[in-house]
Amino acid sequence: SWERAVRMSKYLGKASDREALRYVVGRVAGFLCSKAWGALFSYYREIATIREQVKNLAMRLMREDLSRGWTKARLVFQQRMQRQAKWEEQIGWVNNVLKQRIEAISNQALRSPAIIRQDTITKVQKAFRRFRMERIMERNYFLSNGGPAMTRAQQALTGIRMYSAFDSLKTEEVLRLVFEGASVECLAKLESEPELLETKSPNYSMVNVPLRPSTLTFSEKFNMLAFAELDEHSELSHLAKGSWAHFVNVNQISSIVLNTPRVLKIDGKKKHMIPGQCTGVWFTINGPRVCWGRKAAALGQRNLEVKGAVDGLRLSKDLAQGFKLKWFRLAISIDQTSLPHVPVVMSKVCGKEVHDGPPQDPDVDLGGIDEEDVLEGEGKRFTFMVLHVLGRRFESGLCEGDEPAYWKADHGIQKCEAIVPVPDDLGDIGFLDNHELSIDIMEWYGEDRTASLGTRKREKGNSKCIWTGQMPLNELFDNEDEDMEGQGEKNKLRVTSSLTSSIGTGAHTHQSEPKCIRLKEPITESHADHGFVMLSATASFEDVVRRSLTPISPELQGTGQLPSLYSSHRGAWHDPNSGDPKSFSGQAASFVEVIFDELRFPEIDQPDAGHVFEYTVEATCAGVTVSSIPIHRAKPVWGQVISVDPNVINFGGTKVFVPLPPGAWCTTDKRPRVEFCIIRTSPVDAHPMGFHEFQRGHTTRVFELPKREPMYRCYVGLDGMLIDEARNSVRVMMWTPGMRPPEVMITAPEAAGSMSANLMASSATLIFSATLRDREFVRLHSTREMGQETVLCVGEKAMLKVEEPLHYPQTFTEFRRRCFPGEFNEANTRNHGLAGHWGPLRDPVTSVEYEHSGLGSLSQAPPIKTRYIPPSCEDLIPYKFVMPRSEVQFRREARPGVWWRIVERLVRDSVQDKRSAPHAQGVEHPPIVVEELSHLIKYVPVTILAVYADRTCDVEIDPFFALYWERHPEKHFNFPGNLYIRRFSDTSHFAVRSTPVGTGDVSERMRIRAMLKGVPISAVEGVQATSFNIYDANYINSEDVIKDHPCSVCNDFNPRYSDALSDADFSRRGGYFVRAGPLPPDAGAVCQYEWSLHLHAKSEEIMYQFITNLRQAARLDLQEQLKSLDDYKQRQGAIVSTTMYNLSGVHDLSSESGHLEVVLVEARHLQPSQVQPDKDLPSALRRMTLPTVNASATFMLRDVSRDKHQELMYRGSKVQNASAVAGINPSWAKVDELKSSGGWGFKSP
């Protein structure tokens, strides 16, 4: 074939074919030559390799010693190179991992506060489980099953045994006290249809239970405190628990009063004291209040008579507003006391004879008496008297002998005076008839025979009651010489006629004749020789104003537990005009929910350019005042840095709940109304106080209260509103105090538009929303509102907001620990920062800080430099942040610093930089980054001791804060109020353990109780969502509170610090910390409660621990209800999202059933997006000439509740149109004017 191809080549016509043939022939001819050259090269390489190998072998044989070293060096070099390559590879991997993590941090979404909180709780739980498992394995865990200690929840469910007595009012009695003298219609309905006004689900057992041993337990959900009679020897003892027990709702507890009079056991017509009550302490748990200055007395078997004041709310109104009152003063003087000398254990104990020694029966209670005292039965004894009258408790000094002279001084007999307010419209003081004068003779067994009152309070186990006696007040002023025992029914119903007649004749003082109170022993049978006490009483009346001297209940100032202020019977809010539609739903319009929006000043009220003022809106109804958060009015120069209007104050939707009193709706002529008052105050710049000044108790520093000026006032009537019916954007005109503002109905606020032009120019405008609410709604929703003042109760913890001047760190350690920016400069330590020092803020170092600072929302956002904050760092310097647009937003975001100080600084900087506000209409100021602060806001833990009518309170500084301040004496704080200090020697385990290093001899350690008087309520914030007040009958004022030793009201037991197991009952109770305040007059003898539970504890430790468990149960009850409410909302949300409602038939809904709001957020892909390029020029030109999309939307609402669809009207139109937004992906939520609402809102009528 090759030969044929060569022969035919002469016939090839194309040059390319001939060239290809020539190339192929050349390759074939050169193939053999190429193969020969390849074989030659291979042979040469083989010869060269053999020569190299022979040479290497010869050299190794000739240089054997060098060959070994060279081989080893080469292997070492190879290993080193491998390690270096591996190290470089690892560095690359680490860099890649760090790069990926940093990119993930910068790209990942920020965790919500709920997730961060959940992670923190999970870490704490893991740490606790690890600690618990270690202690269980060591057999030293206190809270294990059968261990020596129990949690508070376990103690609450297990229960405790106490003597108890229960007094309560029935529904008829409560409604009689409310409607008597106020509404004839409601009284007629109460008599004709009592079932209409009865409570369907009562909050307490409407029974009266005499004194008896009981078991007190909590329900599983901690919403109920049950108490039942205890009978261990009965076959029916199992009925002491569960549904057979009497109960009270925990959320209806208004107060607890400590050291109340003892309750005696009644056998027929005689009273005696049980031997088991010789020691211990009494306290009373009170329910909601019904009225003041009146009571319901039984006439016969079915009739009731209301005694006392004409208006049951007048007294609380006058006390809450600090008006002039009539005060009833009762002075008791002890003339003579006779105590028959009887062996210490008496001749009989529990009915068993004691002849030769102490009883051997273990069931006999000796009241803590030693065996030696029983055998002696003779010798000197020291006693003191405890007297209870009108809610006050008095304790005398120690006296010796059988005829002691109590309360006698060199100048004569001292009197025990009790003062209670009485209303001016009082016809008689018969409501005080049931109050008794109680006397207890206590025997002291302590070694210190000269023990002071404070020592006896701490060592109450060394005393017991040996004699007791009681006398009603109506018998105290009865001048007829009658026997104390066996009084008839007529005498029981007699009012204090002597005092009533003296009031009628104008006399101001009444002296009673000497009275004899027979004393009884704590035995079942009376002794032959009775002790007696001769006393005399003096009654007088005075008209004084005690605005800043008399404490009142926090609820009257709108800061306490408002749902437990008034009665729990919803029938007390019966409205005869509306046919009572509320009874079908079980709700009562007992609260007004008010949401403040704006306050607009008139033209004549221009802002002061030299001073900064705070404005507060106060809503008052029946004397109870609820206040909004204080907001500063902007100066005209503030407009240079922030967008504010000096003539408008924006409250940002601050929500308050105003309680309506019982009987508010019972009359047709006097309907409930709310008084709105604008209060102006000027901030007081207090002098900074250091720790050494605090420790010295510097009392020369006098704090002046901010001056409160009422600026505007108006009255708004609530008639015509229905429960849960919202009245939005109500505008009312507010008048100056010199004018008499008319009452404006909330259903027709536009009636004020007929005022003259002069009045309009001098009147302010308040814009708010109002809704009638039920008590349960308020209790569940008031704890979740931002800006709503939390619960402030007497004896409860709170946080005092103080200013701390920012100072430069004094040491390098403090500089690093507080994360100060920059480098430490020792020269700056001389500037202590107490006057005008502005310190720099640090950069945010975590993603959460960066997001919260708002720096990421800036147009030129600075990059974040993540950094790890060591756990050793404390009291960090705040990070930089974007200045909020308003003060309300500043408060809600919890920004550091003081609002008005920051704005003043920004204005000063803008003046120095010659900057001015934008002049274009609608143009806002650019965002401002706060990089310096002069003062920080710190929260100091305190305890509320008393609240006053001038909206001030007394607080006690927490000892833990004092210890923290002692470790950091360089800090200074601007404390409001006046400081009072009391010092006590303290060698407890807690004091020794908390002593700073270098203190020296701890035996000389002094413990401080510090109190601040005259603190504005606005400077105190609560920490608990629910609580109740704790009062002590021993205290007259808050100064008496800090006189007690701090160890007498708290203990420092902690299972973590205990190494040995103990079966002592004290260890099972754990730790407690209970502070009580003075008993205010409105919560004492003049107040009528729905129910009162009197309890006797064997010791103060048991009482304090029970109160601590009761607090815990109240908080757990609220937590369980809030959790149930959230679960219900989630279930309802799931049903709404998956269920199609049938709007016809039984569930007939219409536009009048509620309000609907639809928010238009964004739209996407209104035009198809082009992915591929245009195929030709005409297609590109056609695409470029398409018009820009301006998206809009319309909204129409139809009522389909009837057979035919009906279009609804809204503001005169059936169609609502949204504004146009350009783009194929328009977003209404990004429009500046719509950012606050999240988009364009369509609303229904």
Side-chain angles (χ1 to χ4, degrees), residues 227-229 234-246:
F227 54 96
E229 184 177 2
S234 174
E235 297 179 356
L236 302 178
S237 60
H238 62 281
L239 300 180
K241 296 183 178 181
S243 59
W244 296 93
H246 304 297

Side-chain angles (χ1 to χ4, degrees), residues 943-976:
T943 303
I944 306 295
L945 298 183
V947 177
Y948 301 95
D950 57 354
R951 297 199 66 81
T952 62
C953 61
D954 298 344
V955 299
E956 180 183 359
I957 299 177
D958 192 88
F960 290 95
F961 175 78
L963 294 175
Y964 166 79
W965 201 1
E966 185 178 5
R967 297 190 182 97
H968 302 83
E970 72 280 356
K971 290 182 174 294
H972 290 69
F973 300 98
N974 297 352
F975 279 107

Side-chain angles (χ1 to χ4, degrees), residues 1181-1197:
L1181 294 177
R1182 192 181 306 109
R1183 178 179 58 82
M1184 295 174 63
T1185 55
L1186 290 176
T1188 304
V1189 177
N1190 289 324
S1192 181
T1194 59
F1195 179 79
M1196 298 177 62
L1197 185 65

Side-chain angles (χ1 to χ4, degrees), residues 26 66 329 359 575 632 673 696 917 947 981 993 1032 1158 1223 1236:
L66 298 178
R329 182 188 299 270
D575 188 358
H632 293 85
R673 69 176 186 177
R696 290 193 304 266
V947 177
I981 294 290
R993 199 166 52 241
D1032 196 332
V1158 180
S1236 59

